[in-house]
Amino acid sequence: ILGASSIGTDEFKGIMAHTILLNREATAAELAGEYRLFKSPKRIGVIGDSIAAYTTVTSFSWMLRDNWNSGNVWLYNHAVTGQSIMSHMDAQVTAAATDDADMIILQLGTNDTSATGMQAEVEENIVELRASNPRAVIYYMNVLPRWTDVGGGTPVDKSAIRAAIAAACAAQGV
């Protein structure tokens, strides 16, 4: 089994075009060169709240990892349940500084209640992500709805928060 540390675990899952087979140990430069030749993202950073925070194989982030190019992906999940842009995004962006990601997915805003200062905060964090992960393509998911009651009858108005995030993304080319 290619790449298996033991039978049935950590085995290679992917397209053979994305491998390097040698009759010796590959050098770090060879591995980095082969890695850079891949055309689709291989290192995904996630910054977000509950939709991405779960670590089970049925969660959004794990399904993305497993389905992106046959699962040959490293996932750096910094999402934490209950997070917000204004209070928690800085910490997640700092945690993502060493990811060397090819793609970063942001999913924050559902827990925010005010758009005051939000555009500037999102722009600041996008700039920091670009500086620490210069190869990354950055995507910001639309803010999910939130309800004032458990039954989902009355939605919280997120239009100002969505507008602030959209303006920040437009200003930063995200």
Side-chain angles (χ1 to χ4, degrees):
I1 299 175
L2 287 176
S5 57
S6 62
I7 300 299
T9 62
D10 301 324
E11 68 272 4
F12 174 78
K13 294 178 183 172
I15 300 168
M16 288 299 292
H18 296 172
T19 62
I20 178 172
L21 295 175
L22 303 169
N23 61 358
R24 60 176 169 73
E25 185 174 330
T27 67
E30 287 172 327
L31 292 174
E34 286 297 312
Y35 169 75
R36 302 285 185 234
L37 291 175
F38 300 170
K39 293 185 178 181
S40 56
K42 295 293 176 201
R43 297 169 71 96
I44 300 173
V46 177
I47 293 172
D49 51 33
S50 58
I51 189 174
Y54 301 111
T55 57
T56 63
V57 294
T58 58
S59 71
F60 154 76
S61 53
W62 281 92
M63 288 174 62
L64 174 67
R65 175 197 172 270
D66 287 344
N67 289 293
W68 193 275
N69 197 17
S70 302
N72 190 19
V73 172
W74 292 299
L75 177 67
Y76 300 91
N77 192 344
H78 306 288
V80 180
T81 299
Q83 299 288 284
S84 68
I85 293 169
M86 299 305 290
S87 302
H88 304 102
M89 189 173 181
D90 285 333
Q92 290 190 33
V93 167
T94 299
T98 59
D99 290 354
D100 189 27
D102 294 294
M103 179 191 328
I104 296 174
I105 299 172
L106 296 146
Q107 182 272 315
L108 281 166
T110 299
N111 295 308
D112 288 279
T113 57
S114 170
T116 304
M118 185 168 292
Q119 180 177 345
E121 182 69 17
V122 173
E123 283 195 54
E124 170 194 315
N125 283 291
I126 290 172
V127 168
E128 290 172 9
L129 285 169
R130 281 224 171 94
S132 64
N133 291 270
R135 293 181 301 105
V137 176
I138 301 173
Y139 297 95
Y140 205 117
M141 292 174 62
N142 197 0
V143 176
L144 295 173
R146 189 172 184 89
W147 292 269
T148 59
D149 59 346
V150 177
T154 309
V156 175
D157 181 18
K158 294 288 181 175
S159 59
I161 291 169
R162 287 187 180 109
I165 293 170
C169 290
Q172 293 301 317
V174 169

